[in-house]
């Protein structure tokens, strides 16, 4: 029986009659793990062409072919929201990328700050986490995950029109108000490292006209919790949850 619950990211064009060549990992997942055979149906997406129903046309041990038939969902872009965060321990960094994908960030940028103290970052693994999260949550878009960039360098070239929601634990319950309704425009959320931001970084951020400072409540959250809380706050007030 066709199991259209299975969703697979494929980095190939999608359209009616389009044939998709599966790589070894995808073939192993569909035919060995999920035990699908010729004629079974799954859903595929590539982050650009929406979601499509596709049937298994050939099933081999290391390869296979799918044939697309109908579109099952259009491409749904998230709001123009970037998540900037200082990487932490591996599992918690993976969690941040997974949750950013589920909660609807368009781009994820790990930043090196003065007090960033992280395990070595494997961007290919982080990108794979974003793909898996999109497969699992029904998303048709996969956020871009950038290489780690020094915060200073990023801020030096910061676009004039993109606002930054700086999550500042020192505000202790007091926050600047997020704009209410109207044209939202491009935004980014900034989450600091476990050690917080240095005084120089705080001064730099406070001097930027694009920066809006936010409190996430009276308790100090771990960086991964803070990322989820800030994305939730922003999406509910300015994003696609409204
Ligand atoms: N080292 C800091 C301290 O002990 O004061 C804590 C840093 S916190 C673990 C990591 C990041 O999460 C912070 O830099 C901030 O961006 C965010 N964060 C955590 N709790 C927050 C809060 N209550 N309000 C705003 N941001 C918060």
């Amino acid at each position: 029986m066709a199991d259209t619950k299975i969703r697979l990211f494929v980095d190939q064009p999608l359209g009616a009659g389009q044939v998709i060549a599966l790589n070894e990992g995808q073939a192993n997942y569909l035919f060995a793990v999920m035990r699908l055979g010729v004629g079974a149906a799954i859903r595929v997406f590539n982050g650009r062409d929406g979601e499509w129903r596709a049937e298994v046309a050939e099933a081999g041990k290391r390869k296979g072919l799918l044939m697309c038939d109908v579109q099952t969902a259009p491409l749904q872009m998230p709001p123009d929201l970037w998540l900037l965060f200082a990487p932490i321990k591996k599992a918690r960094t993976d969690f941040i990328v997974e949750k950013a994908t589920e909660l609807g960030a368009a781009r994820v940028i790990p930043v090196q700050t003065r007090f960033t103290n992280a395990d070595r970052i494997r961007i290919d693994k982080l990108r794979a986490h974003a793909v898996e999260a999109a497969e699992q949550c029904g998303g048709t878009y996969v956020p871009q995950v950038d290489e780690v960039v020094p915060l200073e360098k990023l801020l030096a070239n910061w676009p004039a029109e993109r606002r930054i929601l700086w999550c500042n634990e020192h505000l202790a319950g007091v926050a600047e108000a997020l704009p209410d309704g109207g044209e939202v425009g491009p935004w980014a959320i900034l989450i600091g490292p476990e050690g917080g931001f240095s005084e120089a970084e705080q001064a730099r951020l406070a001097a930027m006209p694009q920066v809006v400072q936010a409190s996430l409540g009276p308790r100090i959250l771990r960086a991964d919790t803070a990322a989820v809380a800030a994305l939730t706050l922003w999406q509910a007030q300015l994003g696609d949850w409204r």
Side-chain angles (χ1 to χ4, degrees), residues 29-162:
Y29 170 66
L30 293 181
F31 311 137
V33 180
M34 302 311 293
R35 305 199 161 276
L36 301 186
V38 170
I42 67 164
R43 291 180 286 161
V44 292
F45 66 104
N46 61 3
R48 303 182 295 273
D49 299 322
E51 180 194 83
W52 287 74
R53 182 182 181 278
E55 276 191 16
V56 177
E58 282 180 36
K61 266 202 167 149
R62 294 196 177 79
K63 55 187 185 172
L65 293 178
L66 301 176
M67 167 90 83
C68 275
D69 45 31
V70 288
Q71 194 182 45
T72 46
L75 174 66
Q76 193 185 3
M77 292 293 292
D80 188 359
L81 174 65
W82 299 353
L83 175 67
L84 278 45
F85 74 101
I88 40 179
K89 294 254 176 282
K90 186 189 168 302
R92 291 179 180 275
T93 299
D94 293 350
F95 174 91
I96 289 175
V97 172
E98 182 184 288
K99 298 310 158 200
T101 307
E102 290 176 33
L103 292 166
R107 185 173 174 188
V108 176
I109 310 180
V111 291
Q112 177 75 39
T113 65
R114 171 88 170 74
F115 298 134
T116 297
N117 180 15
D119 292 339
R120 197 172 76 85
I121 296 282
R122 288 273 312 267
I123 294 297
D124 56 333
K125 299 267 186 207
L126 287 185
R127 290 180 179 146
H129 279 295
V131 164
E132 268 173 42
E135 285 174 342
Q136 171 273 322
C137 75
T140 49
Y141 174 83
V142 181
Q144 173 181 331
V145 181
D146 290 26
E147 299 287 345
V148 182
V149 59
L151 179 65
E152 216 181 295
K153 187 173 168 196
L154 190 66
L155 296 183
N157 301 306
W158 193 258
E161 70 289 356
R162 184 172 294 275

Side-chain angles (χ1 to χ4, degrees), residues 166-173 190-197 214-227:
W166 168 23
C167 296
N168 181 353
E169 68 275 19
H170 301 299
L171 291 182
L190 173 63
I191 304 291
E194 295 301 337
F197 291 102
S215 163
L216 300 172
R219 290 161 293 275
I220 305 288
L221 309 178
R222 299 187 79 130
D224 47 344
T225 315

